[in-house]
Amino acid sequence: MLRYALLRLLGAIPTLLLVIVLAFLMVHAAPGGPFDDARSPHPEVLAAIEATYHLDEPVVQQLGRYLGGLLRGDLGPSFRYPDYSVSELIGIGFPASLKLGVLAMSLAILVGVSAGTFAALRQGSMTDRVVMSFSMTGISIPVFVVAPVLVLLFAVKLHWLPAGWSGSAGVAKYIVPVVTLALPQIAYIARLTRASMIEVLSRDFIRTARAQGLGTRAIIRIHALKPAMLPVLSYMGPAIAAILTGSVVVEQVFGIPGLGASFVNGALNRDYTLVLGIVIFYAALIIALNLVVDLLYGVIDPQVRQR
Amino acid sequence: MKSLRLFLQTAVLIALAACGGPGVTDDRSAVLSRAISTDPETLDIHKARSLQALSVLRDIGEGLVSHNANGEMTPGVAESWEMSDDGLSYTFTLRADARWSTGEPVTAGDFVFAVERLKDPATGAFYAQFLSDVTGLEAVDDRTLLIRLAQPTPYLLSLLTHPATFPLHAGSLAANGDRFARPGNLVSNGAYRLVDWVPGSVITLKRNEHYWNNANTAIDEVRHLVLVQESTQLARYRAGEIDITSTVPSENFAQTRKDFGSELRIAPYQNVYYYGYNLRKPPFKDNQKLRQALSMAIDRDVLVDKVLGRGETPAYSWVPTGINGYVPTVFSYAALTQAERKQIARRLYKEAGYTESNPLEVEIRYNSSDTHRAIAVAVQSMWRDALGFDATLVNEEFQVLLANIRAGEVTQVFRSSWVGDYDDAHTFLSVFQSDSAANVPGYSSNEFDKLMMRASKQVDPDLRRAYLEEAERLLLEDHPVILIYFYGSKHLVSPRVEGWGDNLLDYHYSQHLSLKAAN
């Protein structure tokens, strides 16, 4: 297992390098520079600024300098925020995004798996149909519609929850963004669980278990849940990606100082180093998470382990 | 099964851990919460360039001269000043009780230090040219500052209200280097001091107990909340979570106006919306008649009333009305009806060599936004109606548009705007001097430059104004740009906020505001 993990990690290095080089070239190819502003500074000042950030060098040389910095773990200074380095900005933004993502993911798994199992057991019933049509709605309505509606209802009309993040205290500010972010995932996971649970429940070993007199609850818990979770587990990779990208919108709408918001603003401001830093960070994170999911797969399904 | 259970347990634990941070008190009764639409890039007075950064800096710093709630100039760190008869030197006397947030006195030397840093190209200050007329700065003693000028600069006092000309605390710079402007390091001399800054979220300021006018500062804590989306600002204002918005969404503006009545503050703003011509290339190079025809064919009243209707006013001058000591010159045809203007426009269009069978082919470039698109579509149809040609609309991301404008290769007609930096006609008219970095159309007129030069050398305010007015008249006749409208500033201001003053500069120092006690 350890050998496998190490090999996978080594294999990730060329992928990451490719991501870095491509991202670097694409960011630099975008028209407009970080210091183009409606009011431009004196040419002499602009030259001084560009020299400070080595923007006056050929792109290849800049790339070399950047890669050299990366080897030392240095993501460079932010072009937009001269007081902060990119690593610092990621350090500030990531915890907010992480909390949001972990909470949304946990909520999605808890509610999604329960609802899916519940519906599978009552396949074809009214409850099943209600749960499934709710989940269809959850998948179809985009985040940027759900978010303002929830804010209007719970913050503006009912005053139960804060309308935004910054300057609000306590736990309450998490609720609307987390629900908004989790909703499509709840829906998707519920559907996956239902389908897979129905399939598992029709298998021979379940029939055997029933014949031995086990109750439904015990069958689900001991025999059915684990195999039924496999498709959900393989969905975790895409789900994490969806939550990361979904958080870009949610962070913008609620004004949450996370990485998603930084990424969008960085791209608009042509903050080359910040955008690159976040791309590299996310790429590394996704590679690592994929590895973790693959290893988990081995834990849950012995067939995979023996491969 | 065990692993799944463990996973879920861990997830719940993480969730709980994530929620239970150290509790922040949410008592807002003594806290002013105001929205800004982007993060300040920095609170370094010299590297700051966005209006948002400048507005935070006005809360935490103070120049020799400052403003009251109505945007009128008042003494700041300087308690008094004297101008020499030739207008070439000013002597400022600093307040004995002007203090840094550390309690140390603010001295003339702090201003000398700051201006030297501002002017040094290596600093990379966007406003490095701001004091280009200042030839010498001398700290005669701790409380006396002498400023020498290359030419009379009647707007010097106005320049000295700008954050780029604030003093700097040399000690904190020496101790912290590049990180001097961060919370915990930043030493400032205004009514407030920087306590915390979470990038992308909130900047927290607290009363500077050492500020000379601390006794008249009412609010103890000010939070500048970074709320990028206009709709988020509105939602949070509706929920009672912020006291002042930085703007109001364009969508459903009529409804917002109806909902909030007098809480919605709309005022003229020194910001002009215009279409620039690329004067370096045909068809607009050396083609005054065509430029005038296109400008006259546009019905500004329709744009302002029907397309926008959010506090804008039609622009018939380059300098907005209400600028300190100046009466803008208006287009010679401002008094004509739109029908009469259209007729003249048609004649000029023909004289420029265009007909229905040989129509003008032109592109309007604008940065992507609903408002800019609506204006472009309306202008396109006005040109079609009056002159019979179809302009092509091209929308681009803002940074792309800026790069294209600067390069001057593909642009023909482009959207732009200009916000004044200080309260003097010079901040607008100097844009069109041949050597100005802001002169994006590439306008170059010897006569205009000469008039501006003469105005600069003039000590007598009336004579100076006459030169400036003449310069503006010349500019309007040359039509280097199509003037469209002046923006209005728009804020929602909670009824619990007192002391708010609408002003052309759209400066609203927190130190002038107070909060009514909750009932």
Side-chain angles (χ1 to χ4, degrees):
Chain A
M1 190 86 123
L2 188 70
R3 206 178 101 89
Y4 172 69
L6 277 176
L7 279 177
R8 282 284 305 267
L9 276 180
L10 277 179
I13 292 176
T15 316
L16 201 55
L17 195 65
L18 191 69
V19 169
I20 294 168
V21 173
L22 279 181
F24 187 91
L25 296 178
M26 279 163 73
V27 167
H28 282 259
F35 302 104
D36 275 329
D37 205 330
R39 73 198 42 224
S40 44
H42 191 269
E44 206 183 333
V45 172
L46 191 61
I49 295 175
E50 290 186 335
T52 309
Y53 294 105
H54 307 290
L55 287 171
D56 50 348
E57 296 173 356
V59 174
V60 178
Q61 202 176 334
Q62 291 184 47
L63 177 63
R65 188 182 292 280
Y66 187 76
L67 290 174
L70 273 184
L71 284 180
R72 296 190 305 273
D74 180 10
L75 292 172
S78 161
F79 287 0
R80 172 74 182 174
Y81 302 102
D83 299 331
Y84 292 89
S85 72
V86 170
S87 313
E88 282 177 307
L89 289 174
I90 291 179
I92 293 168
F94 185 59
S97 295
L98 181 68
K99 278 181 196 175
L100 198 64
V102 167
L103 286 170
M105 205 64 186
S106 317
L107 184 70
I109 293 171
L110 272 176
V111 180
V113 170
S114 324
T117 310
F118 192 72
L121 289 173
R122 289 158 186 76
Q123 194 191 342
S125 73
M126 199 58 198
T127 334
D128 179 24
R129 270 184 231 144
V130 170
V131 171
M132 282 308 106
S133 47
F134 259 114
S135 74
M136 201 62 227
T137 323
I139 294 173
S140 333
I141 305 179
V143 167
F144 57 83
V145 176
V146 175
V149 170
L150 292 180
V151 167
L152 188 68
L153 186 63
F154 292 105
V156 177
K157 296 284 176 217
L158 297 171
H159 288 284
W160 290 353
L161 299 169
W165 184 278
S166 43
S168 309
V171 185
K173 65 181 177 187
Y174 286 86
I175 297 177
V176 180
V178 166
V179 170
T180 308
L181 198 53
L183 221 50
Q185 304 312 321
I186 291 177
Y188 205 88
I189 290 174
R191 294 185 82 83
L192 270 180
T193 309
R194 175 182 178 274
S196 142
M197 186 64 85
I198 288 173
E199 202 250 338
V200 169
L201 286 177
S202 69
R203 293 243 195 104
D204 287 345
F205 70 92
I206 298 290
R207 204 171 314 151
T208 313
R210 267 195 221 283
Q212 286 172 344
L214 262 121
T216 308
R217 188 180 290 240
I219 289 180
I220 297 281
R221 230 179 34 173
I222 302 168
H223 297 293
L225 199 54
K226 212 161 148 183
M229 278 304 92
L230 283 179
V232 176
L233 199 62
S234 16
Y235 174 62
M236 286 300 105
I240 288 167
I243 286 206
L244 287 183
T245 47
S247 74
V248 172
V249 179
V250 171
E251 285 172 15
Q252 287 271 317
V253 172
F254 294 99
I256 301 169
L259 274 194
S262 292
F263 185 72
V264 173
N265 295 332
L268 291 177
N269 294 327
R270 300 287 189 273
D271 193 339
Y272 296 157
T273 42
L274 179 59
V275 171
L276 277 172
I278 296 176
V279 167
I280 293 167
F281 180 75
Y282 270 163
L285 190 69
I286 287 176
I287 289 172
L289 286 175
N290 274 333
L291 179 63
V292 170
V293 168
D294 281 357
L295 295 179
L296 268 184
Y297 226 82
V299 172
I300 291 196
D301 186 352
Q303 286 170 340
V304 176
R305 208 169 357 181
Q306 281 158 11
R307 193 177 48 189
Chain B
M1 193 60 222
K2 229 178 192 169
S3 59
L4 186 71
R5 176 176 301 233
L6 192 70
F7 171 68
L8 289 179
Q9 281 168 346
T10 322
V12 172
L13 273 181
I14 294 174
L16 287 176
C19 290
V24 188
T25 51
D26 205 22
D27 177 21
R28 291 208 311 111
S29 58
V31 178
L32 177 77
S33 297
R34 49 192 302 179
I36 44 175
S37 58
T38 71
D39 242 327
E41 51 286 341
T42 172
L43 294 175
D44 174 339
I45 53 170
H46 295 143
K47 291 183 180 162
R49 50 187 161 122
S50 65
L51 296 175
Q52 291 75 18
L54 298 180
S55 79
V56 175
L57 285 171
R58 284 191 192 93
D59 272 356
I60 60 178
E62 186 174 58
L64 291 165
V65 188
S66 189
H67 293 106
N68 64 16
N70 298 319
E72 294 150 357
M73 276 190 279
T74 54
V77 173
E79 62 184 10
S80 64
W81 50 83
E82 261 176 55
M83 183 185 80
S84 64
D85 292 339
D86 58 3
L88 293 178
S89 73
Y90 283 72
T91 309
F92 291 86
T93 305
L94 274 55
R95 290 175 197 283
D97 53 354
R99 291 280 182 281
W100 290 102
S101 47
T102 53
E104 298 157 86
V106 177
T107 65
D110 296 333
F111 283 93
V112 176
F113 174 71
V115 171
E116 279 169 2
R117 183 172 181 267
L118 169 72
K119 289 184 145 196
D120 181 0
T123 306
F126 264 57
Y127 287 96
Q129 299 303 303
F130 221 49
L131 295 181
S132 55
D133 284 340
V134 172
T135 50
L137 208 69
E138 192 189 325
V140 178
D141 58 49
D142 275 357
R143 289 188 51 208
T144 312
L145 181 70
L146 178 68
I147 296 185
R148 287 200 195 81
L149 298 161
Q151 51 197 9
T153 309
Y155 51 91
L156 176 72
L157 295 178
S158 191
L159 291 177
L160 297 176
T161 65
H162 194 282
T165 67
F166 285 1
L168 264 185
H169 186 267
S172 72
L173 230 80
N176 301 304
D178 281 345
R179 301 164 83 94
F180 85 95
R182 293 175 46 142
N185 298 342
L186 186 64
V187 176
S188 63
N189 70 322
Y192 292 91
R193 61 192 166 82
L194 176 65
V195 175
D196 194 20
W197 176 12
V198 183
S201 182
V202 59
I203 294 170
T204 308
L205 313 179
K206 286 221 164 96
R207 171 194 291 279
N208 172 10
E209 303 282 354
H210 300 290
Y211 179 57
W212 63 268
N213 202 12
N214 183 42
N216 289 319
T217 305
I219 299 173
D220 287 335
E221 183 175 332
V222 177
R223 293 181 195 161
H224 288 269
L225 267 56
V226 182
L227 301 173
V228 178
Q229 305 222 334
E230 297 175 351
S231 54
T232 308
Q233 292 196 14
L234 181 61
R236 298 205 63 180
Y237 184 84
R238 279 188 198 277
E241 292 166 15
I242 54 173
D243 301 302
I244 301 168
T245 66
S246 73
T247 185
V248 175
S250 316
E251 305 86 48
N252 292 323
F253 189 76
Q255 184 63 41
T256 310
R257 192 192 292 251
K258 216 172 90 189
D259 290 352
F260 292 107
S262 62
E263 289 172 48
L264 177 61
R265 309 295 300 244
I266 303 179
Y269 178 38
Q270 55 156 349
N271 185 353
V272 60
Y273 185 109
Y274 69 88
Y275 276 178
Y277 291 119
N278 181 355
L279 298 175
R280 299 180 193 93
K281 299 215 157 199
F284 297 111
K285 185 174 193 270
D286 303 325
N287 200 343
Q288 188 273 346
K289 282 182 177 165
L290 180 65
R291 300 198 299 260
Q292 182 173 349
L294 263 51
S295 174
M296 288 183 81
I298 293 174
D299 190 337
R300 292 161 179 82
D301 290 323
V302 168
L303 293 179
V304 164
D305 296 336
K306 301 283 191 290
V307 181
L308 301 163
R310 303 190 286 264
E312 297 81 0
T313 46
Y316 294 104
S317 61
W318 169 246
V319 182
T321 307
I323 287 268
N324 193 16
Y326 186 77
V327 180
T329 313
V330 295
F331 280 128
S332 50
Y333 55 80
L336 302 183
T337 66
Q338 190 57 33
E340 290 167 325
R341 289 178 201 161
K342 258 203 286 197
Q343 259 181 353
I344 300 174
R346 280 198 195 106
R347 178 170 57 75
L348 291 168
Y349 182 71
K350 279 210 185 93
E351 286 174 14
Y354 297 95
T355 58
E356 267 176 36
S357 54
N358 174 33
L360 176 67
E361 280 176 26
V362 74
E363 285 179 343
I364 305 177
R365 258 164 222 273
Y366 57 94
N367 50 309
S368 312
S369 112
D370 289 344
T371 304
H372 303 330
R373 189 173 175 279
I375 295 279
V377 168
V379 166
Q380 181 192 40
S381 83
M382 287 168 185
W383 283 346
R384 187 189 303 127
D385 168 55
L387 307 174
F389 71 90
D390 265 307
T392 310
L393 305 189
V394 183
N395 80 80
E396 295 177 323
E397 192 200 334
F398 192 42
Q399 294 294 325
V400 178
L401 179 68
L402 287 176
N404 279 334
I405 291 174
R406 198 132 298 146
E409 289 296 327
V410 293
T411 45
Q412 294 182 316
V413 175
F414 55 86
R415 186 212 81 89
S416 192
S417 70
W418 183 253
V419 189
D421 282 320
Y422 40 92
D423 195 5
D424 190 276
H426 186 268
T427 188
F428 278 89
L429 290 170
S430 61
V431 166
F432 286 103
Q433 283 176 296
S434 307
D435 59 351
S436 160
N439 183 352
V440 282
Y443 178 69
S444 180
S445 157
N446 277 333
E447 216 178 326
F448 179 84
D449 290 348
K450 257 187 235 158
L451 284 166
M452 291 299 290
M453 181 84 85
R454 274 192 207 128
S456 303
K457 292 200 185 320
Q458 197 47 254
V459 190
D460 181 82
D462 293 328
L463 277 175
R464 172 179 182 264
R465 187 168 61 226
Y467 282 128
L468 290 178
E469 283 170 7
E470 187 54 31
E472 185 173 24
R473 184 166 305 117
L474 190 73
L475 184 74
L476 295 181
E477 277 168 16
D478 276 346
H479 292 275
V481 298
I482 306 178
L483 300 168
I484 300 183
Y485 65 84
F486 293 111
Y487 284 86
S489 62
K490 299 180 282 278
H491 303 274
L492 285 163
V493 181
S494 158
R496 79 178 188 129
V497 174
E498 293 187 320
W500 179 270
D502 293 323
N503 62 72
L504 186 70
L505 304 168
D506 200 23
Y507 296 164
H508 307 282
Y509 296 69
S510 300
Q511 69 177 110
H512 301 312
L513 304 175
S514 60
L515 295 173
K516 252 190 272 189
N519 14 341

